[in-house]
Amino acid sequence: MLLYRQSRNYYPFQRLSKRQLSLAYTKHEPATPEPGHAPLVIMHGLFGSKQNNRSISKALARDLKTPVYAVDLRNHGDSPHAPTHNYSAMADDVEEFISAHSLTVPTLIGHSMGAKVAMTVALRSPKLLGAMVSVDNAPVDANLKSNFHAYAQGMREIEEAGIKKQGEADMILKQYEDALPIRQFLLTNLIRSPDGGEYHLRIPIKTLSASLDHMGDFPFRDPDEARYDGPALIIRGTKSHYVADDVLPLIGRFFPRFDLKDIDCGHWVISERPEEFRKAVVEFLQEKESKDA
């Protein structure tokens, strides 16, 4: 398979099979790696990319002295596009990524959409992972926040407007989102055409818009049929509604060895409280290593 390389970023263009896509990623390596430490794979949320996890990936690689692979899930960032966008398909891609890079029992970390991908992989391929970290999402069917439908509508307008300045895109998004940090996050999907003319989205916004209802789903219903007995950390924002207290018993049935960490923030845990998030993950994995030793 041919890869285009630029610095530490790898952009695969060949599709592996009818089911699996070869995911783009950035590998963050520690200055002083220590053998025997399991690698990490970290996954972004809806409309995000590996770029969002660059700083935290570097910090985790440094602290845990192991490589951290920040991936772009299908239809996001630099990864290939496909008409199917659901958790089973994304889990296919991630399992193939782990196999293709010969990662031995990695820790899978995911935020929001990425959290459900991590939980899906853990439940259907439990021996593949050494640990799992889910950030502000739960293994349940739930309605997706209406904000995401609004974001999708705003980005579709941007795509159709033929804009030539980023400020024009921001003005469109202001109709749908007041918070500048969230607009800036969404606009990381905006790129200029090679001829230097109009801006366009690097994500297939029509595909993602059509798949929004699937983003509230979860592939597993019965904890008696699928369970992950490995170490699991559930991190939730206390000002977010995605991991309610009444769903904790179900989480315990799917993930009987789970630890819960509450962080005083909203849904965007990693960007709102990066230091608290870093500390929670490092302590969780260091404790796991001490028990395994």
Side-chain angles (χ1 to χ4, degrees):
M1 181 176 67
L2 295 177
L3 300 179
Y4 168 68
R5 294 193 175 203
Q6 182 179 17
S7 183
R8 295 301 297 168
N9 294 287
Y10 302 79
Y11 303 111
F13 290 99
Q14 181 178 347
R15 186 166 177 171
L16 296 176
S17 72
K18 292 182 180 180
R19 294 182 61 193
Q20 299 151 335
L21 303 183
S22 182
L23 301 179
Y25 69 100
T26 301
K27 183 180 180 182
H28 300 275
E29 296 181 315
T32 55
E34 292 185 359
H37 292 250
L40 278 63
V41 178
I42 187 167
M43 300 174 295
H44 57 82
L46 185 61
F47 302 139
S49 72
K50 61 184 182 297
Q51 177 182 340
N52 306 132
N53 291 320
R54 180 174 53 190
S55 295
I56 195 63
S57 296
K58 289 180 178 179
L60 292 174
R62 177 199 67 211
D63 294 347
L64 295 167
K65 302 185 187 308
T66 192
V68 178
Y69 296 79
V71 303
D72 282 334
L73 296 171
R74 63 167 54 200
N75 294 317
H76 288 77
D78 297 306
S79 282
H81 299 171
T84 301
H85 192 85
N86 57 43
Y87 291 113
S88 295
M90 286 186 278
D92 286 341
D93 300 339
V94 172
E95 289 172 3
E96 175 58 34
F97 181 88
I98 292 171
S99 175
H101 295 279
S102 302
L103 304 183
T104 303
V105 289
T107 295
L108 205 54
I109 302 175
H111 170 250
S112 194
M113 178 182 74
K116 281 193 170 180
V117 177
M119 289 185 282
T120 299
V121 173
L123 290 173
R124 76 182 200 178
S125 303
K127 294 182 180 180
L128 199 61
L129 304 182
M132 189 275 299
V133 179
S134 170
V135 187
D136 213 55
N137 217 334
V140 295
D141 286 345
N143 292 327
L144 194 68
K145 269 182 84 174
S146 60
N147 302 47
F148 286 102
H149 292 273
Y151 301 157
Q153 178 60 32
M155 286 192 284
R156 290 189 71 166
E157 285 191 28
I158 290 171
E159 186 77 334
E160 296 166 0
I163 64 171
K164 295 185 177 180
K165 296 181 180 179
Q166 290 192 23
E168 296 173 10
D170 188 54
M171 289 300 295
I172 292 174
L173 281 183
K174 276 185 178 179
Q175 303 173 63
Y176 300 93
E177 175 56 55
D178 293 330
L180 177 60
I182 295 179
R183 297 202 308 273
Q184 290 174 331
F185 159 73
L186 295 171
L187 290 175
T188 59
N189 292 295
L190 196 66
I191 58 175
R192 189 187 288 274
S193 60
D195 61 7
E198 296 179 352
Y199 281 90
H200 63 91
L201 297 174
R202 62 178 174 175
I203 57 175
I205 191 59
K206 290 184 179 179
T207 297
L208 293 176
S209 296
S211 303
L212 285 178
D213 288 341
H214 295 307
M215 295 300 91
D217 296 342
F218 190 67
F220 295 94
R221 302 286 190 276
D222 188 354
D224 293 327
E225 296 181 357
R227 183 176 301 149
Y228 177 66
D229 290 318
L233 176 63
I234 307 297
I235 299 177
R236 64 177 178 176
T238 57
K239 298 175 183 175
S240 172
H241 74 282
Y242 281 94
V243 187
D245 287 342
D246 59 9
V247 81
L248 295 180
L250 179 63
I251 292 176
R253 293 183 64 200
F254 276 124
F255 306 99
R257 292 178 60 190
F258 90 96
D259 293 330
L260 177 67
K261 175 64 177 179
D262 285 340
I263 295 180
D264 184 22
C265 63
H267 180 60
W268 308 94
V269 179
I270 301 175
S271 59
E272 291 182 52
R273 293 287 187 269
E275 177 58 21
E276 292 179 52
F277 173 81
R278 181 202 63 80
K279 185 177 179 181
V281 172
V282 169
E283 290 180 350
F284 167 70
L285 291 177
Q286 287 179 338
E287 181 179 354
K288 172 190 175 294
E289 286 189 359
S290 67
K291 290 179 179 177
D292 291 343

